[in-house]
């Protein structure tokens, strides 16, 4: 049986291309070869006329769609039935770049060659174009150039007939340039995981590769697989290669990138161990559907990113900003800097992005701003995610604020006890503090203590509800020191906080509306509930006037922010 019998001719409407058999029922080719809308696809094997013409369908693809770039130009054809043809065999991808450069053969079907013809090429260099393609150049100035009909053809080593890639593009004949592009097998396997089982991986033991593949398969349908970029960063560490610009379309894509592109062999072990740990850990409860309360006793598995802002003491306009991330009970510092108030937003945007590489994969991120009391009404939820992403932070992540004074001493201890009772307590009830209330602060203190309030709602922001400059204690101060675990208010409140006509008060309208969304919910779920409201406001017809646009949520479950020392990257203890 010919060792080249696995070469295939692909027909899809008027398009003719090449392909190659990789299993008894799967053929690889370029996605652009089979792009014909609704046209039947047929596959034949020129070296095995006895097999006949076999119909096929696209079983998987690399994401190429013909618009906005050529990445992912791979299609996996599933034959209508198995064929008695021995599949192609693969060389290590690096074999194509050995010195001296080996001669590469390509078997395609240009116009006038229905039976196929050969072209001789070599790789220009191991360096890839856009981290996707290897450039091919003609072996000699004569012979068959790459042309339409070669797309999807296997690129093989002339001396062994083993596959190192697939032709994906060629220079136009009119240009006089005899070169093209090859999609190397190391890139193809990112898009179709089964190919990774066929391509040799130099420098990695096969058992380690098989273990990783098995773990990726187990994780595929779980929440563990939803953030491959984060798992990749965990495996390669802060000094490893960055995530490619196009990101990873799947967990396998990230795993294969580590297997082939990352020089550190321990990165494979770190990724496998991390996946094993996440898969063996007790599953975090699924979030409740919008409008449904969470189950008591099952707080979400939050992974907090902490942004702490305080007056630095270096001047009225100078603020100390510290960003850290919690992982497995340890706080990992990300950045710390003293800045003028006007530069805080940009610094936070940059450091929050960095912090995501430290939080636990498979858990829900929670962005928490720890602020001095005078800054609790800062519009941090409206800050953009970054210079290139205008989405508000509060519409991208669950985002909360908390008062610095509640993170220490007896107040923190009392707050922790209140949260412990909340898990098994009755349904949440909103305790309202109306705009312009005549209730004295000490009476409010007594009411909140007597009722065991777990959720307080203010009709006006802290700066508007204060009784005056001579007041020692405000209603808002009282709610913080009771302490009420969760507090809500509109960042922009009623324009006349001194009035007593609640029927015309925007703040009272806010409390009526917010109560319908938060009462009956587990307090632990409220960051996610408020995220949903902020998203709805941003997507509304009139986002600037939506009642939930500026909702501020003060939420600080001490169990999510353990008071542990920061983990230092170079400490043997950490």
């Amino acid at each position: 049986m010919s060792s080249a019998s696995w070469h295939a001719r692909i027909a899809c409407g008027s398009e003719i291309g090449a392909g190659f058999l990789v299993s008894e029922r799967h053929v690889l080719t370029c996605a652009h070869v089979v792009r014909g809308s609704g046209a039947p696809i047929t596959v034949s094997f020129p070296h095995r006329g006895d097999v006949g013409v076999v119909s096929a369908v696209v079983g998987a693809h690399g994401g190429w769609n013909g618009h906005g770039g050529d990445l992912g130009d791979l299609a996996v054809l599933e034959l209508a039935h198995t064929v008695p043809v021995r599949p192609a065999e693969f060389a290590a991808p690096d074999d194509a770049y050995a010195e001296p450069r080996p001669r590469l053969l390509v078997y395609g079907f240009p116009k006038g060659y229905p039976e196929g013809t050969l072209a001789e090429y070599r790789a220009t260099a191991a360096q890839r174009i856009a981290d996707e393609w290897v450039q091919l150049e003609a072996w000699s100035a004569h012979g068959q150039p790459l042309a339409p009909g070669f797309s999807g053809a296997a690129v093989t080593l002339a001396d062994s007939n083993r596959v190192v890639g697939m032709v994906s593009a060629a220079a136009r004949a009119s240009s006089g340039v005899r070169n093209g592009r090859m999609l190397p097998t190391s890139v193809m396997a990112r898009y179709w995981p089964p190919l990774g089982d066929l391509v040799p991986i130099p420098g990695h033991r096969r058992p380690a590769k098989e273990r990783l593949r098995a773990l990726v398969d187990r994780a595929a349908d779980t929440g563990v697989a939803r953030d491959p970029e984060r798992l990749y960063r965990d495996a390669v560490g802060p000094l490893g290669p960055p995530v490619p610009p196009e990101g990873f379309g799947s967990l396998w894509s990230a795993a294969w990138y580590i297997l082939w592109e990352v020089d550190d062999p321990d990165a494979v072990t770190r990724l496998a161990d991390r996946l094993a740990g996440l898969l063996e850990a007790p599953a975090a409860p699924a979030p409740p559907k919008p409008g449904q309360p969470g189950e008591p006793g099952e707080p979400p598995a939050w992974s907090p990113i902490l942004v702490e802002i305080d007056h630095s003491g270096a001047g009225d306009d100078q603020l100390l900003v510290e960003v850290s991330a919690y992982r497995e009970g340890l706080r990992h510092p990300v950045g710390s800097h003293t800045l003028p108030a006007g530069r805080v937003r940009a610094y936070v945007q940059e450091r929050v992005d960095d912090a995501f590489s430290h939080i636990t994969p498979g858990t829900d991120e929670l962005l928490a701003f720890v602020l001095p009391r005078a800054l609790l009404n800062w519009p941090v939820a409206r800050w953009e995610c970054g210079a290139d992403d205008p989405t508000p932070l509060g519409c991208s992540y669950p985002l909360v604020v908390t008062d610095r004074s509640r993170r220490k001493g007896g107040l923190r201890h009392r707050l922790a006890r209140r949260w412990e009772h909340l898990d098994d307590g009755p349904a949440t009830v909103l305790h309202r503090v109306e705009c312009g209330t005549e209730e004295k602060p000490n009476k409010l203190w007594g009411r909140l203590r007597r009722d065991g309030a777990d959720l307080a709602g203010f009709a006006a922001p802290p700066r508007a509800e204060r009784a005056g400059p001579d007041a020692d204690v405000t209603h808002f101060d009282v709610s913080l020191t009771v302490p009420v675990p969760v507090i809500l208010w509109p960042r922009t409140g009623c324009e006349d906080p001194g009035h007593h006509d609640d029927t015309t008060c925007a703040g009272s309208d806010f409390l009526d509306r917010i109560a319908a969304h938060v009462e009956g919910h587990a307090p632990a779920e409220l960051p996610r509930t408020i995220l949903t409201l902020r998203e709805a406001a941003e997507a509304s017809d009139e986002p600037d006037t939506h009642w939930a646009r500026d909702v501020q949520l003060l939420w600080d479950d001490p169990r999510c922010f353990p008071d542990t020392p920061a983990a230092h990257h170079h400490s043997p203890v950490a």
Side-chain angles (χ1 to χ4, degrees):
M1 186 179 294
S2 170
S3 63
S5 58
W6 44 260
H7 287 294
R9 182 178 186 269
I10 314 296
C12 179
S14 60
E15 192 79 26
I16 300 296
F20 52 105
L21 188 74
V22 295
S23 80
E24 61 182 7
R25 202 170 175 178
H26 292 96
V27 171
L28 301 186
T29 188
C30 287
H32 74 260
V33 171
V34 291
R35 63 187 168 187
S37 178
I41 302 170
T42 59
V43 179
S44 57
F45 299 89
H47 294 80
R48 289 294 305 274
D50 58 309
V51 172
V53 177
V54 185
S55 60
V57 295
V58 177
H61 60 85
W64 181 90
N65 59 13
H67 305 291
D70 296 323
L71 299 179
D73 192 4
L74 172 70
V76 182
L77 304 184
E78 187 172 324
L79 302 178
H81 57 77
T82 60
V83 293
V85 177
R86 184 176 178 178
E89 295 182 356
F90 291 82
D94 275 352
D95 288 354
Y97 322 121
E99 292 292 348
R101 285 282 188 269
R103 185 165 59 102
L104 304 176
L105 295 181
V106 184
Y107 193 99
F109 304 89
K111 187 175 181 180
Y113 293 90
E115 73 286 356
T117 189
L118 288 168
E120 296 177 305
Y121 275 75
R122 63 182 162 212
T124 302
Q127 180 179 339
R128 291 202 292 265
I129 299 169
D131 199 34
E132 182 89 355
W133 305 280
V134 167
Q135 182 168 305
L136 298 176
E137 58 186 31
W139 182 258
S140 68
H142 308 286
Q144 173 66 49
L146 294 180
F150 277 95
S151 292
V155 180
T156 64
L157 298 171
D159 61 355
S160 68
N161 206 34
R162 291 178 180 266
V163 179
V164 292
M166 179 182 75
V167 174
S168 61
R172 294 179 180 178
S174 59
S175 68
V177 177
R178 296 166 61 85
N179 63 22
R181 287 183 177 180
M182 169 180 81
L183 199 62
T185 52
S186 56
V187 172
M188 295 167 68
R190 293 186 212 164
Y191 298 118
W192 191 52
L195 189 58
D197 295 332
L198 306 176
V199 179
I201 308 292
H204 295 82
R205 292 181 298 109
R206 186 167 182 82
K209 171 187 166 186
E210 291 177 348
R211 177 188 178 223
L212 181 58
R213 175 64 193 278
L215 288 166
V216 169
D217 287 345
R218 284 179 57 197
D221 296 325
T222 71
V224 173
R226 68 183 172 184
D227 196 344
E229 283 85 2
R230 189 184 303 169
L231 286 164
Y232 171 83
R233 294 189 189 100
D234 282 345
V236 303
L239 301 180
V243 174
E246 71 276 12
F248 297 118
S250 67
L251 178 56
W252 169 252
S253 178
W256 180 260
Y257 199 89
I258 290 173
L259 279 165
W260 185 250
E261 309 293 346
V262 177
D263 292 334
D264 180 5
D266 292 335
V268 176
T269 303
R270 285 194 292 268
L271 177 59
D273 289 347
R274 186 66 191 146
L275 289 174
L278 291 170
L279 290 168
E280 291 166 9
K289 296 178 180 178
Q292 293 182 343
E295 292 294 327
E298 296 183 353
W302 295 118
S303 282
I305 293 174
L306 213 60
V307 180
E308 301 181 82
I309 301 175
D310 200 6
H311 299 289
S312 69
D316 292 342
D317 189 47
Q318 298 294 309
L319 296 173
L320 174 62
V321 184
E322 298 177 285
V323 180
S324 55
Y326 280 94
R327 180 185 179 128
E328 298 174 352
L330 290 176
R331 185 163 54 88
H332 296 260
V334 177
S336 177
H337 211 286
T338 298
L339 300 161
R343 293 173 53 196
V344 168
R345 181 190 308 195
Y347 181 78
V348 167
Q349 290 167 341
E350 181 181 347
R351 290 296 175 262
V352 164
D353 258 356
D354 295 342
F356 274 95
S357 64
H358 295 281
I359 64 177
T360 305
T363 55
D364 292 327
E365 64 275 0
L366 175 70
L367 195 52
F369 282 78
V370 182
L371 304 171
R373 193 163 301 183
L375 301 181
L376 281 175
N377 203 46
W378 259 22
V380 291
R382 297 299 309 171
W383 288 1
E384 299 88 349
C385 286
D388 300 323
D389 183 0
T391 309
L393 284 170
C395 295
S396 297
Y397 315 108
L399 184 150
V400 301
V401 300
T402 187
D403 179 34
R404 290 193 65 86
S405 67
R406 304 219 310 182
R407 290 184 49 78
K408 59 187 178 182
L411 190 55
R412 179 181 176 83
H413 177 74
R414 297 202 308 274
L415 188 62
R417 293 189 62 185
R418 291 286 299 118
W419 274 99
E420 289 172 1
H421 291 298
L422 289 181
D423 291 338
D424 299 315
T428 306
V429 175
L430 181 69
H431 288 70
R432 300 169 64 115
V433 181
E434 300 289 354
C435 182
T437 179
E438 295 183 341
E439 185 178 29
K440 294 185 180 299
N442 67 315
K443 295 295 185 182
L444 174 63
W445 180 88
R447 172 162 68 93
L448 296 176
R449 295 272 290 187
R450 181 182 65 252
D451 295 346
D454 50 20
L455 174 62
F458 282 75
R463 59 176 175 78
E465 61 86 26
R466 290 175 178 167
D470 298 327
D472 295 325
V473 178
T474 70
H475 296 85
F476 193 78
D477 293 333
V478 163
S479 67
L480 290 172
T481 57
V482 165
V484 179
V486 184
I487 306 173
L488 288 157
W489 67 89
R491 241 189 7 88
T492 53
C494 181
E495 295 181 358
D496 181 18
H499 73 78
H500 304 294
D501 184 2
D502 292 338
T503 60
T504 61
C505 177
S508 288
D509 179 65
F510 168 83
L511 292 179
D512 291 340
R513 291 173 180 266
I514 200 74
H517 292 274
V518 300
E519 288 193 331
H521 283 245
E525 288 289 352
L526 290 181
R528 188 179 289 122
T529 302
I530 298 304
L531 169 64
T532 302
L533 285 175
R534 288 170 175 154
E535 290 173 335
E538 191 68 13
S540 68
D541 292 337
E542 297 182 358
D544 291 342
T545 58
H546 194 282
W547 69 271
R549 180 180 187 270
D550 286 318
V551 60
Q552 196 86 320
L553 172 65
L554 187 145
W555 185 102
D556 50 0
D557 183 349
R559 297 170 299 180
C560 288
F561 313 108
D563 195 12
T564 56
H568 299 284
H569 296 301
H570 302 292
S571 165
V573 177

